[in-house]
Amino acid sequence: MDRQARKVAVEAYKQRKPAFGVYAVICSATGEAWVGSSRHVDNHKNGLWFALRLGTSPHAALQTQWAEHGEDTFRFEELDRLGDDFPETGRADELKKREALWCARLQATALTGRHG
């Protein structure tokens, strides 16, 4: 990638809109699920998988299952996304509500405190 193309790509990345939403990580070997939320749910998997591969995930139970069963048994699913017009002041509360709803539906463990 030449310098100008890189500059354009970096600027486009900086200008992207947040994608507030709820996701699940599901282990096909055990059926266990973990639910979390993110302001960049569309690409949250990248950071999560990176930490799991390194063994540095802050989610101990998820990290343990990852180490035991391997990356190929896990999948990432976007479950819910707030609309672009959702009021900024209510986003955090709405994500918490939706995260709790999906935890109950999937009988999943919450990956709380991770709205990054």
Side-chain angles (χ1 to χ4, degrees):
M1 179 181 293
D2 67 18
R3 178 175 267 168
Q4 184 60 30
R6 178 172 160 66
K7 192 174 185 178
V8 169
V10 167
E11 186 58 33
Y13 179 80
K14 289 180 182 179
Q15 297 302 320
R16 70 190 168 108
K17 289 183 178 182
F20 292 91
V22 178
Y23 64 88
V25 175
I26 300 167
C27 177
S28 61
T30 65
E32 284 184 85
W34 295 264
V35 171
S37 58
S38 174
R39 65 179 160 223
H40 296 293
V41 71
D42 52 342
N43 62 9
H44 192 81
K45 177 186 175 186
N46 296 337
L48 189 58
W49 258 227
F50 182 77
L52 288 164
R53 285 179 190 132
L54 288 178
T56 60
S57 173
H59 312 295
L62 175 55
Q63 186 70 64
T64 299
Q65 293 301 318
W66 179 278
E68 186 174 329
H69 299 290
E71 180 175 348
D72 292 342
T73 63
F74 286 84
R75 71 180 188 274
F76 181 96
E77 292 184 16
E78 182 178 322
L79 301 172
D80 209 344
R81 189 184 290 211
L82 300 183
D84 291 340
D85 59 346
F86 198 91
E88 186 175 338
T89 56
R91 284 183 190 148
D93 288 338
E94 186 63 23
L95 285 175
K96 286 178 190 173
K97 286 178 192 173
R98 292 185 187 196
E99 189 175 323
L101 174 73
W102 281 105
C103 279
R105 283 182 181 170
L106 299 175
Q107 297 179 340
T109 301
L111 300 175
T112 56
R114 293 289 179 213
H115 300 289

